[in-house]
C-alpha cells in the first residue's frame, strides 16, 4: 500500500473553489508547517490557488521532530537516485489524490520545492504526464541528470532560485541543473540571490510568485 502524506492546507484567498493547486515540498529535516507560509506570499497573485505542504514520508534520521523525502546518510549517486525514485512514487500518489479531491488536472498543478523538496519535485515534474503547469526549485539540485535524456517525458517550465552563499547545496548546482534541463528541451529561468545562504528570501518569493502566475495564465 502506498504511503499517504498529510500536511497543512491554505484554501484559496478568493473564497471560491480552487482553480489551481500548488504543492510545497519542504527540505530535509523540516516539515510541511515550515513551508506553508509561502502561500501567504503567493496568494495575492494566485487568489484562486489552494496550497498544501505535506510532511515528507519518513522521519528524519538526524531530527526526530522533522521529516525527510529520502535518506542522506549515503550521498553517492546510486543511493540518492534510489531515494528520489521511491519518494517520487509516494509523491505522485499524493498528487493524484489531491487533484481528484479538487477536480483538477495536471495543467492546474505546480510544484514548489526547497532543497531536498526541489530534488524530488524535479524528478516528478519531468516524468509525470500529462505535463504539469510549472515547477519552482529553491536551493536544490538535479539528481540523475545523466539519465534525463532517456527518461524525460514532460517539459514544464522551471524556475530555479539559489543563494550564492549557500553552504549546504553548492550554488554551482543551479547551473548544473539548468544546463541539463536546457539540453533536454526544458524552458528554464535561473535566478541567483547575492549573499543569500541556504534559505528563501522575499525577492525570491516574489520571483517565484510571478513565475507561477505567468505559468498558470
Amino acid at each position: 500500500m502506498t504511503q499517504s502524506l498529510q500536511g497543512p492546507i491554505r484554501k484559496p484567498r478568493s473564497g471560491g473553489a480552487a482553480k489551481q493547486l500548488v504543492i510545497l515540498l519542504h527540505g530535509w529535516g523540516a516539515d510541511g508547517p515550515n513551508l506553508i507560509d509561502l502561500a501567504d506570499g503567493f496568494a495575492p497573485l494566485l487568489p484562486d490557488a489552494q496550497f498544501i505542504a505535506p510532511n515528507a514520508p519518513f522521519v528524519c534520521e538526524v531530527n526526530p521532530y522533522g521529516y525527510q523525502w529520502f535518506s542522506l546518510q549515503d550521498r553517492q549517486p546510486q543511493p540518492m537516485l534510489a531515494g528520489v525514485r521511491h519518494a517520487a512514487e509516494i509523491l505522485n500518489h499524493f498528487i493524484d489524490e489531491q487533484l481528484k479531491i479538487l477536480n483538477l488536472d495536471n495543467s492546474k498543478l505546480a510544484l514548489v520545492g526547497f532543497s531536498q523538496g526541489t530534488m524530488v519535485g524535479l524528478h516528478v515534474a519531468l516524468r509525470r504526464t500529462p505535463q504539469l503547469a510549472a515547477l519552482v526549485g529553491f536551493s536544490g539540485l538535479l539528481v540523475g541528470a545523466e539519465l534525463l535524456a532517456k527518461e524525460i517525458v514532460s517539459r514544464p517550465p522551471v524556475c530555479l532560485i539559489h543563494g550564492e552563499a549557500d553552504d549546504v547545496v553548492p550554488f554551482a548546482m543551479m547551473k548544473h541543473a539548468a544546463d541539463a534541463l536546457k539540453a533536454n528541451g526544458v524552458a528554464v529561468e535561473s535566478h541567483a540571490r547575492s549573499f543569500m545562504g541556504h534559505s528563501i528570501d522575499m525577492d525570491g518569493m516574489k520571483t517565484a510568485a510571478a513565475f507561477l502566475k505567468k505559468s498558470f495564465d
Side-chain angles (χ1 to χ4, degrees):
M1 181 177 177
T2 304
Q3 187 167 352
S4 184
L5 305 179
Q6 295 183 338
I9 295 172
R10 295 281 172 84
K11 292 187 177 296
R13 175 173 288 199
S14 65
K19 296 179 181 178
Q20 301 99 21
L21 174 64
V22 179
I23 299 179
L24 307 169
L25 309 171
H26 68 76
W28 187 69
D31 58 16
N34 178 259
L35 212 57
I36 193 62
D37 286 346
L38 285 181
D40 295 336
F42 294 159
L45 289 181
L46 300 169
D48 296 314
Q50 179 155 307
F51 299 86
I52 183 166
N55 292 329
F58 308 108
V59 174
C60 182
E61 55 210 350
V62 299
N63 173 21
Y65 300 102
Y67 298 86
Q68 63 187 28
W69 295 97
F70 55 91
S71 173
L72 292 178
Q73 290 291 83
D74 187 343
R75 303 192 186 194
Q76 294 300 307
Q78 287 307 310
M80 289 275 285
L81 182 61
V84 82
R85 286 197 193 283
H86 186 207
E89 180 182 345
I90 296 170
L91 179 58
N92 269 312
H93 179 71
F94 176 75
I95 290 170
D96 292 340
E97 290 179 335
Q98 296 304 309
L99 290 176
K100 184 176 181 180
I101 290 169
L102 297 175
N103 195 28
L104 298 174
D105 59 31
N106 282 350
S107 70
K108 302 301 181 183
L109 167 70
L111 302 179
V112 177
F114 175 74
S115 193
Q116 194 181 53
T118 294
M119 301 177 205
V120 178
L122 279 168
H123 193 89
V124 167
L126 301 171
R127 294 165 176 82
R128 184 177 173 88
T129 57
Q131 183 169 295
L132 52 83
L135 178 135
V136 175
F138 291 96
S139 306
L141 57 82
L142 179 62
V143 177
E146 69 283 356
L147 301 175
L148 198 53
K150 69 176 183 179
E151 294 187 0
I152 189 169
V153 295
S154 288
R155 292 170 173 81
V158 172
C159 176
L160 301 176
I161 304 169
H162 211 124
E164 293 180 356
D166 194 330
D167 60 355
V168 176
V169 178
F171 174 65
M173 290 296 97
M174 181 171 73
K175 184 178 187 304
H176 176 265
D179 287 349
L181 292 171
K182 290 174 184 176
N184 285 280
V186 179
V188 185
E189 292 185 12
S190 300
H191 300 271
R193 302 296 305 126
S194 300
F195 310 111
M196 190 177 79
H198 195 63
S199 62
I200 300 172
D201 66 359
M202 189 60 67
D203 284 343
M205 286 179 59
K206 290 178 180 177
T207 296
F211 178 81
L212 290 174
K213 183 180 188 312
K214 177 179 67 175
S215 299
F216 279 130
D217 289 346

